[in-house]
Amino acid sequence: MPKIVALHELSQEQIHRIEDAAPEYEVISGKYKELPSGTVSGADILMGWSGAAAEEALAENSQVRWIQVWSAGVDRMPLQELDARNIQLTNASGVHSIPISEHIFAFMLAYARNLHQAVRHQSRNEWDKSGIFHELSGKTAVIIGVGQIGSAAARIAQAFGMKTVGVRRSGKDDPHIDVMYTTEELDQALGQGDFVINILPLTEETKGLFNADRFAAIKEGAFFINVGRGPSVDTTALVDALKSGHLAGAGLDVFEEEPLPADHPLWNMEQVMLTPHTAGDTEHYNERVMDIFVENLKAFVEGSPLPRNVIDYERSY
């Protein structure tokens, strides 16, 4: 009997959904270290991933043909090895559109209405009305990496009366982006933003993309948001742009080094808001990943191409 192995505990409801979609498959779930040796290599489909399971999943005798990971980013996956073994890889892209777009606007609204300073004053029992209070209406949001999350963020931005500028590899139009640029035109787009929002995946092309030159291209006084990948930003260059005042502030959820070291200067910069890589977290996470997995599973069982979130190994996303 073919097997589906989940590297975490599944609820009975989740197991029933899988069994309904693939009645000929045995479903096994549990943490890797608790599973008998050979369970992963004997799986046809693997749900989840861990470094501990990698050796077995990629072993010569492994039967794994498809891996569904629980994250959107796959930059830490052994993509070359998976490609060489003809293992299909699907991610959780689409799960994050709502929580991350809302997280982006949490940063933007907090900055615009000076809430980050108000919270600091509250912690010190200070009644302080100083500061500049902005409005999002009439401002320009530049969204770097327009996919599902970027499109969702742009839709919200338009509802606030903002102009939306997008950057994506193809330059393909999006209904919620007023002006779209290709990645080759990145600097031209950066110069227009009051808010610059990085949602890029991590690839060889995006690693360190936001360096001193990129920050210099951003309009002076802009607010920078990173909810993409930490290593796409040169942190030293970011700190320098903040210290000089070229950037008015930043909202950061991801970092080159995680956890962010306790002595890092970003912690104590009052114009910076930090969250510990939680922008994509939501109480609905697992059910949304299951929706993606079950839709793909039905196609897999029928021998049809997987319809959602298949990773292109050449592009690394």
Side-chain angles (χ1 to χ4, degrees), residues 11-27:
S11 68
Q12 283 302 310
E13 180 183 357
Q14 291 171 332
I15 291 173
H16 290 325
R17 287 190 67 187
I18 294 170
E19 290 175 338
D20 287 344
E24 301 301 318
Y25 282 70
E26 178 185 0
V27 181

Side-chain angles (χ1 to χ4, degrees), residues 226-290:
N226 189 12
V227 291
R229 284 290 177 264
S232 66
V233 174
D234 179 335
T235 308
T236 300
L238 172 60
V239 170
D240 289 344
L242 288 163
K243 284 182 175 179
S244 72
H246 185 77
L247 290 179
L252 309 172
D253 184 62
V254 290
F255 307 88
E256 278 190 282
E257 182 180 355
E258 295 184 4
L260 186 68
D263 61 351
H264 199 281
L266 283 170
W267 285 110
N268 297 314
M269 302 182 86
E270 294 209 351
Q271 73 274 47
V272 174
M273 289 175 276
L274 309 179
T275 52
H277 206 144
T278 55
D281 292 358
T282 169
E283 59 189 325
H284 303 294
Y285 198 100
N286 285 340
E287 64 188 78
R288 289 177 182 157
V289 179
M290 285 299 298

Side-chain angles (χ1 to χ4, degrees), residues 75-284:
D75 46 273
R76 296 183 181 180
M77 297 285 291
L79 300 182
Q80 291 184 346
E81 291 91 333
L82 294 172
D83 187 19
R85 293 188 59 82
N86 293 315
I87 296 174
Q88 293 189 91
L89 177 64
T90 53
N91 67 358
S93 178
V95 170
H96 307 88
S97 296
I98 294 174
I100 293 184
S101 60
E102 291 185 359
H103 206 92
I104 289 167
F105 273 83
F107 279 142
M108 292 171 68
L109 288 166
Y111 168 72
R113 303 310 303 160
N114 221 18
L115 296 182
H116 58 308
Q117 296 294 352
V119 169
R120 291 184 172 96
H121 293 317
Q122 180 182 349
S123 69
R124 299 191 290 261
N125 294 10
E126 295 175 352
W127 183 273
D128 189 332
K129 299 174 68 174
S130 63
I132 300 173
F133 293 83
H134 303 276
E135 297 177 356
L136 297 186
S137 179
K139 299 295 194 299
T140 297
V142 175
I143 300 171
I144 316 301
V146 179
Q148 295 182 65
I149 297 168
S151 182
R155 176 180 55 80
I156 299 170
Q158 288 181 330
F160 272 93
M162 302 181 74
K163 177 183 177 181
T164 57
V165 173
V167 177
R168 67 187 341 169
R169 179 196 290 263
S170 67
K172 182 181 177 181
D173 289 342
D174 181 278
H176 304 297
I177 296 292
D178 298 320
V179 182
M180 185 72 78
Y181 293 91
T182 65
T183 49
E184 286 74 21
E185 301 169 311
L186 175 59
D187 287 356
Q188 185 178 347
L190 290 175
Q192 301 178 46
D194 299 292
F195 294 88
V196 174
I197 304 159
N198 175 31
I199 319 178
L200 288 169
L202 184 62
T203 66
E204 287 302 316
E205 291 77 17
T206 64
K207 188 174 183 180
L209 179 66
F210 282 91
N211 55 21
D213 290 339
R214 292 292 84 69
F215 286 119
I218 294 175
K219 182 169 70 173
E220 186 171 357
F223 185 84
F224 179 73
I225 294 172
N226 189 12
V227 291
R229 284 290 177 264
S232 66
V233 174
D234 179 335
T235 308
T236 300
L238 172 60
V239 170
D240 289 344
L242 288 163
K243 284 182 175 179
S244 72
H246 185 77
L247 290 179
L252 309 172
D253 184 62
V254 290
F255 307 88
E256 278 190 282
E257 182 180 355
E258 295 184 4
L260 186 68
D263 61 351
H264 199 281
L266 283 170
W267 285 110
N268 297 314
M269 302 182 86
E270 294 209 351
Q271 73 274 47
V272 174
M273 289 175 276
L274 309 179
T275 52
H277 206 144
T278 55
D281 292 358
T282 169
E283 59 189 325
H284 303 294

Side-chain angles (χ1 to χ4, degrees), residues 27-70:
V27 181
I28 302 169
S29 71
K31 295 180 179 179
Y32 175 69
K33 293 182 179 180
E34 298 171 358
L35 297 173
S37 177
T39 301
V40 167
S41 61
D44 297 87
I45 302 169
L46 190 61
M47 299 173 66
W49 183 257
S50 73
E55 183 176 352
E56 190 174 332
L58 296 170
E60 192 64 34
N61 66 338
S62 174
Q63 297 178 195
V64 177
R65 293 183 288 155
W66 167 30
I67 299 172
Q68 168 71 59
V69 293
W70 244 240

